[in-house]
């Protein structure tokens, strides 16, 4: 039979809760965010260990948690029964946090939740927040939600809360307030027995529901569906009840029987070999290769090195190469450190024939070369008997000759310029001599030396003015 058409959910599954047979599915193993459907796993983890009549005082942290709250009052004592009711029918995050605190705290409960999911066969589920609020690394699949929902139906403690239509809780003083079940199928779809809905902006709407008709119980799970999730849920349940007796199952839900007790692979969230097939022909409880168990979950699977567990030849070869590379690196560093130490002490080397002289205390040679190198041809500082080629000696000699030639050219140019710029005596029309470029020190006929129109400051560039 073709599956029902018009389903808006990105991933969905409908299965027989009794036999575990998957009647139809779409993207059953596609990881996505669970939203508040994660509270099913939280209830399975904490409620069996908390007496229903035990009273729990609400902390400030529980009363101020993000998301949906039923309005629990800080400092007021509530029974576990009231808190479980608020968590499962009204999705109260404040009630969830209060139960988690009473059960040992967030980290301890998350660890137990992930271990329980693996033991149930929900190997593609990682719990990151007991309330279902979006958390790093948290994800589930439509298959796993059906597995967890099936476990909730089979747990008598949890199942007793799923179909409560409404309840009242104590408030401040003698006040009480009422809460209602958020499952829209309760009272509107015949035979509904739960289970849980959820919603966050990032996850969209999620839902796990179940209904019983004619001694047959079907379970449906939806991920990333429309906010009016009831439309998809009713369509899948209607199709399942109509064709359950005739349809050929496409797989089977994983269960505790598919997990081998004590197997380290199952403890890490992977399903033991031989698990029942899933909705797409693959193993329904296959290990999640996208990091299941890394965020507060179970430990990862152990890696093997071979059939006998021995180290192979490739490993020994890599180890040998690593040792040799390390030794060469250390040897090179020692050589560099010795060379640096020798240059830092400013020690000198003996001058041979044709050498440029000894190094001074500052480490600079007579030719003005680089620090820390000897000018003795063919010698390496700090090492005796080692010959260096003559190329560097030739380069040093050529550099010295070039410097001497440049110095002589500069001196010759400066001498020529000085001679050209020397002042020359000149005789004016009155037979008086003065320097070229300077005004006469004698007053001109008919002009007073105190005449304001004349300045005794020579023009720029003359012999008396400073050079530019």
């Amino acid at each position: 039979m073709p599956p029902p058409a018009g389903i808006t959910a990105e991933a969905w599954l409908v299965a027989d809760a009794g036999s575990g047979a998957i009647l139809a599915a779409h993207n059953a193993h596609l990881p996505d965010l669970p939203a508040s459907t994660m509270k099913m796993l939280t209830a399975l983890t904490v409620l069996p260990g908390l007496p229903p009549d035990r009273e729990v005082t609400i902390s400030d942290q529980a009363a101020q948690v993000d998301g949906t709250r039923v309005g629990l009052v800080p400092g007021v004592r509530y029974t576990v029964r009231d808190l479980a009711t608020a968590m499962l029918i009204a999705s109260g995050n404040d009630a969830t946090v209060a139960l988690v605190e009473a059960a040992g705290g967030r980290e301890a409960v998350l660890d137990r939740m992930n271990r329980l999911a693996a033991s149930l066969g929900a190997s593609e589920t990682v719990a990151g927040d007991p309330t279902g609020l979006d958390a790093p690394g948290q994800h589930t699949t439509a298959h796993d939600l059906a597995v967890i929902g099936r476990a909730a139906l089979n747990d008598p403690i949890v199942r007793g809360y799923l179909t409560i239509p409404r309840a009242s809780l104590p408030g401040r003083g003698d006040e009480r307030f009422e809460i209602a079940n958020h499952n829209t199928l309760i009272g509107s779809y015949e035979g509904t027995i739960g289970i849980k809905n959820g919603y966050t902006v990032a996850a969209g709407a999620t839902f796990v529901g179940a209904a019983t008709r004619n001694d047959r119980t079907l379970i449906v799970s939806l991920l990333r569906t429309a906010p009016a999730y009831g439309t998809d849920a009713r369509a899948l349940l209607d199709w399942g009840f109509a064709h359950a007796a005739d349809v050929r199952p496409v797989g089977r839900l994983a269960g505790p029987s598919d997990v081998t007790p004590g197997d380290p692979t199952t403890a890490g969230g992977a399903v033991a070999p031989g698990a029942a097939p899933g909705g797409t022909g693959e193993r329904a409880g296959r290990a999640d290769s996208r990091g299941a168990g890394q965020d507060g979950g179970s430990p990862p699977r152990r890696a093997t090195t071979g059939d006998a567990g021995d180290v192979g030849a490739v490993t020994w070869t890599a180890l040998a190469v690593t040792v040799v590379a390390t030794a060469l690196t250390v040897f090179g560093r020692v050589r560099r450190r010795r060379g640096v130490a020798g240059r830092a002490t400013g020690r000198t080397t003996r001058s041979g024939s044709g050498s440029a002289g000894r190094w001074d205390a500052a480490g600079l040679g007579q030719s003005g070369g680089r620090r820390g190198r000897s000018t003795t041809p063919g010698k390496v500082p700090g090492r005796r008997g080692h010959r260096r080629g003559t190329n560097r000696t030739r380069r040093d000699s050529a550099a010295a000759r070039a410097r001497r030639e440049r110095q002589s050219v500069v001196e010759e140019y400066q001498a020529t310029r000085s001679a050209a710029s020397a002042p020359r005596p000149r005789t004016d029309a009155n037979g008086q001599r003065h320097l070229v470029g300077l005004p006469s020190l004698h007053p001109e006929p008919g002009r007073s030396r105190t005449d304001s129109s004349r300045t005794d400051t020579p023009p720029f560039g003359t012999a008396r003015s400073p050079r530019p």
Side-chain angles (χ1 to χ4, degrees):
M1 299 296 297
I7 304 300
T8 60
E10 185 173 337
W12 55 265
L13 178 147
V14 56
D16 190 307
S19 65
I22 300 175
L23 306 180
H26 176 69
N27 291 333
H29 296 280
L30 180 67
D32 211 330
L33 300 174
S36 286
T37 55
M38 182 60 69
K39 290 185 174 73
M40 297 186 304
L41 185 60
T42 305
L44 289 169
T45 302
V46 302
L47 293 185
L50 297 175
D53 295 328
R54 175 181 169 180
E55 292 186 342
V56 177
T57 302
I58 303 303
S59 66
D60 291 337
Q61 181 179 1
Q64 298 172 6
V65 67
D66 292 337
T68 303
R69 292 175 289 185
V70 296
L72 301 181
V73 181
V76 175
R77 301 173 67 85
Y78 294 80
T79 64
V80 169
R81 182 182 295 103
D82 289 340
L83 297 176
T85 302
M87 175 178 69
L88 289 173
I89 76 168
S91 201
N93 289 347
D94 45 0
T96 306
V97 173
L99 289 171
V100 168
E101 292 175 347
R106 174 189 172 90
E107 297 304 323
V109 169
L110 281 175
D111 181 68
R112 291 161 54 192
M113 289 173 63
N114 283 288
R115 292 182 181 275
L116 177 60
S119 67
L120 293 175
S123 60
E124 298 167 317
T125 295
V126 175
D129 193 304
T131 67
L133 290 173
D134 303 327
Q138 180 170 260
H139 58 81
T140 189
T141 63
H143 165 268
D144 282 12
L145 286 182
V147 170
I148 298 171
R150 184 186 183 194
L153 292 176
N154 293 330
D155 189 301
I157 298 177
V158 176
R159 179 168 179 167
Y161 295 99
L162 300 180
T163 55
I164 297 176
R166 55 185 58 250
S168 64
L169 300 176
R172 298 185 182 275
D174 297 334
E175 297 179 354
R176 297 187 69 85
F177 60 94
E178 193 173 76
I179 58 175
N181 201 315
H182 290 183
N183 186 350
T184 59
L185 269 64
I186 296 290
S188 65
Y189 189 83
E190 181 184 355
T192 298
I193 55 175
I195 304 175
K196 188 73 185 73
N197 66 298
Y199 178 84
T200 66
V201 174
T206 60
F207 179 71
V208 180
T212 300
R213 290 182 185 176
N214 300 324
D215 297 328
R216 184 187 299 275
T217 299
L218 297 183
I219 186 169
V220 60
S221 60
L222 305 170
L223 280 175
R224 202 164 291 279
T225 186
Y229 58 84
T231 303
D232 284 350
R234 290 183 180 90
L236 289 173
L237 290 172
D238 287 344
W239 180 91
F241 284 122
H243 303 290
D246 304 323
V247 72
R248 179 181 179 180
V250 295
R252 189 170 300 276
L253 293 176
S257 60
D258 300 322
V259 182
T260 303
D263 190 345
T265 59
T266 59
V271 172
T280 57
E282 303 172 350
R283 297 194 179 277
R286 69 182 187 276
D288 185 3
S289 61
R290 288 166 293 277
Q294 293 180 359
D295 298 290
S298 307
R301 297 183 60 176
R302 297 179 299 179
T304 57
T305 56
D307 295 337
D310 297 330
V311 179
V314 176
T315 304
W316 284 115
T317 303
L319 181 61
V321 172
T322 303
V323 171
V324 172
T326 304
L328 292 176
T329 302
V330 172
F331 180 71
R333 290 180 177 178
V334 170
R335 290 186 59 186
R336 289 194 296 271
R337 289 177 181 175
R338 288 180 178 177
V340 171
R343 292 192 295 270
T345 55
R347 59 186 179 185
T348 61
T349 56
R350 296 182 180 180
S351 302
S353 58
S355 65
R358 295 182 180 272
W359 292 83
D360 58 12
L364 292 174
Q366 294 178 358
S367 61
R370 290 178 294 177
R371 292 177 63 93
R373 291 192 178 274
S374 171
T375 56
T376 305
K379 294 291 184 179
V380 178
R383 298 184 63 181
R384 301 179 58 186
H386 180 77
R387 299 292 299 173
R388 189 187 295 271
T390 60
N391 290 337
R392 179 174 175 176
T393 303
R394 295 172 180 173
R395 289 196 301 268
D396 292 345
S397 300
R401 288 195 300 270
R403 283 193 295 273
R404 288 194 296 270
E405 291 176 358
R406 286 196 300 270
Q407 185 65 25
S408 61
V409 171
V410 170
E411 293 176 354
E412 181 179 356
Y413 170 76
Q414 292 177 348
T416 304
R417 183 174 180 181
S418 299
S421 60
R424 300 186 300 275
R426 189 183 67 180
T427 304
D428 58 9
N430 298 327
Q432 296 177 348
R433 297 172 61 84
H434 59 84
L435 297 178
V436 175
L438 294 180
S440 174
L441 300 180
H442 299 281
E444 297 181 6
R447 294 181 62 92
S448 172
R449 297 192 59 167
T450 60
D451 190 352
S452 59
S453 63
R454 177 178 177 83
T455 177
D456 291 333
T457 303
F460 183 80
T462 62
R464 288 180 57 187
S465 64
R467 294 178 59 186

